[in-house]
Amino acid sequence: MKHIVVLTGAGISAESGLKTFRDSDGLWEGYNIADVATPEAWDWNPVLVQEFYNMRRKAVLEAKPNDAHYALAKLEEKYKVTIITQNIDDLHERAGSTDVIHLHGIITRSQSSKNPNLTYPIDGWELKMGELCELGSQLRAHVVWFGEAVPMIEEAARICTTAELFILVGSSLAVYPAAGLINYIGRSVPKYIIDPKIPYLPSDNFIKIEEKATVGIPLLINELLKD
């Protein structure tokens, strides 16, 4: 089976009602990024940070996969598909995709404050202060913050080198190291980008579909399933 690698960003989840990570004013859900998405923020005000991610988790659980998520899952009928996502929601999995790599963590899990490799499922939307990991440290959202390493980036880069077809959807390519993954795709590999506002690309050999994800992805997937 031909191996298709898909890199998804906030744009695909926005159509399910989840706000993009950072709006044009630099804020996320009205909060300064430095106040809710850094290790320092957790040190300064863990209650605020915990409440912030509880609200994001509640929104994720209330959201539903959209046509783009379902179309990507359908692609597995004919191809080996690996989805690399910058998103912290579980909408790809709920739509039926079976091979998903979360570069920035997944909000439906918690992690130890001492050892980020210790992660646990969360029952419901609320992670409370006082809930501890097996090492006795406070549990926090399993989300990669600014200033933290991206543990899955090397594996994602390796997978990109194996792609026989590449699809980029809903990403502005503004967040590194995730944006650098397109450099690992072979030069001769067919490449598609789907976005209503095509970002700057370091190479011009992308086939551009200037549509939102829920329009462009089903169109492309229908063509790929015909071939």
Side-chain angles (χ1 to χ4, degrees):
M1 297 176 78
K2 182 179 282 189
H3 186 199
I4 296 180
V5 174
V6 186
L7 177 60
T8 69
I12 194 170
S13 295
E15 291 193 73
S16 288
L18 298 176
K19 288 198 175 180
T20 54
F21 177 73
R22 197 181 337 200
D23 290 327
S24 57
D25 57 7
L27 302 178
W28 185 15
E29 295 283 0
Y31 289 82
N32 189 302
I33 300 296
D35 293 335
V36 292
T38 64
E40 292 77 15
W42 179 252
D43 291 338
W44 297 330
N45 196 340
V47 173
L48 172 66
V49 175
Q50 196 82 292
E51 288 178 352
F52 177 81
Y53 287 97
N54 281 342
M55 291 300 100
R56 304 291 75 71
R57 190 177 303 108
K58 190 171 187 289
V60 164
L61 293 175
E62 291 171 352
K64 294 178 179 172
N66 60 50
D67 289 346
H69 295 106
Y70 285 116
L72 288 173
K74 190 176 181 184
L75 199 54
E76 293 187 22
E77 293 175 3
K78 189 173 178 180
Y79 300 92
K80 171 180 167 59
V81 181
T82 303
I83 294 177
I84 302 169
T85 186
Q86 300 176 67
N87 302 331
I88 58 174
D89 59 68
D90 62 349
L91 296 180
H92 283 300
E93 288 90 342
R94 280 198 267 152
S97 291
T98 60
D99 186 9
V100 184
I101 292 176
H102 286 268
L103 289 176
H104 300 142
I106 185 164
I107 200 168
T108 52
R109 295 186 71 85
S110 64
Q111 74 179 53
S112 164
S113 294
K114 283 186 179 177
N115 182 354
N117 295 318
L118 291 176
T119 73
Y120 311 85
I122 299 172
D123 184 15
W125 62 270
E126 189 174 19
L127 183 60
K128 297 177 181 177
M129 300 304 294
E131 291 189 55
L132 310 178
C133 75
E134 59 205 71
L135 301 177
S137 72
Q138 174 63 46
L139 290 172
R140 47 161 273 198
H142 179 45
V143 173
V144 176
W145 291 331
F146 283 96
E148 293 184 322
V150 180
M152 295 303 295
I153 194 67
E154 290 184 5
E155 175 65 5
R158 184 195 67 77
I159 288 169
C160 285
T161 66
T162 71
E164 294 171 274
L165 189 147
F166 178 70
I167 303 170
L168 173 64
V169 55
S171 175
S172 63
L173 296 178
V175 177
Y176 282 83
L181 289 174
I182 63 172
N183 298 320
Y184 291 88
I185 307 298
R187 287 187 179 182
S188 62
V189 172
K191 304 173 185 69
Y192 294 85
I193 180 168
I194 300 166
D195 202 286
K197 294 181 181 178
I198 304 290
Y200 168 77
L201 296 164
S203 71
D204 59 2
N205 61 343
F206 275 79
I207 298 168
K208 299 173 183 177
I209 302 174
E210 205 157 349
E211 297 280 1
K212 59 184 183 179
T214 53
V215 174
I217 283 284
L219 286 173
L220 175 59
I221 272 53
N222 285 339
E223 289 302 311
L224 292 174
L225 290 176
K226 282 181 191 174
D227 292 341

